Amino acid sequence: MVAAALAAAAMVGMSSPPTKTLDLELLRIVDSRGKARAILGMGDEGPALSLLDEKGRLRANLGIERDGPSLDLLDTAEAPRAQLTVDGKQDPHLDFTDAKGVQVSLRP
């Protein structure tokens, strides 16, 4: 009887239309071991998507800051190595940083 009730509940759940809107402040996507690998959420200045490696280290971050969008690519020590931003004047900036902290910037 219980099995029949569960099967009926499953069938009803499969026949309902998909949800078109999901409102939340944070979405955490985990791997098969339950470790967070992607986090989509709202920061103080706007939305951000963070991607983490298998050890939980931040490796990439895409977000909207006060002046504009930014994309950061980080090494295994979570130090920024490449950053692409658009500033308040709507000018793009591309910055590269090596392991010694030496930075090379490309600006129009």
Side-chain angles (χ1 to χ4, degrees):
M1 185 104 158
V2 173
L6 289 173
M11 298 281 279
V12 169
M14 289 190 298
S15 64
S16 63
T19 302
K20 295 185 186 241
T21 302
L22 178 63
D23 294 325
L24 45 95
E25 291 182 15
L26 184 74
L27 175 63
R28 202 171 67 102
I29 300 174
V30 299
D31 62 17
S32 61
R33 295 180 311 257
K35 260 190 136 151
R37 298 300 299 271
I39 301 169
L40 177 61
M42 287 298 296
D44 293 337
E45 297 181 7
L49 173 63
S50 300
L51 303 177
L52 298 93
D53 67 14
E54 67 281 352
K55 294 184 178 178
R57 297 175 296 213
L58 179 63
R59 299 306 303 273
N61 197 49
L62 173 63
I64 304 295
E65 298 178 10
R66 182 179 21 220
D67 291 336
S70 67
L71 172 64
D72 301 325
L73 304 177
L74 301 94
D75 64 15
T76 56
E78 297 184 327
R81 292 310 185 101
Q83 296 175 295
L84 175 61
T85 58
V86 176
D87 67 19
K89 296 178 183 176
Q90 303 306 299
D91 291 328
H93 301 265
L94 181 57
D95 301 312
F96 298 99
T97 306
D98 69 12
K100 296 178 182 177
V102 176
Q103 188 177 63
V104 174
S105 297
L106 303 173
R107 304 185 191 291

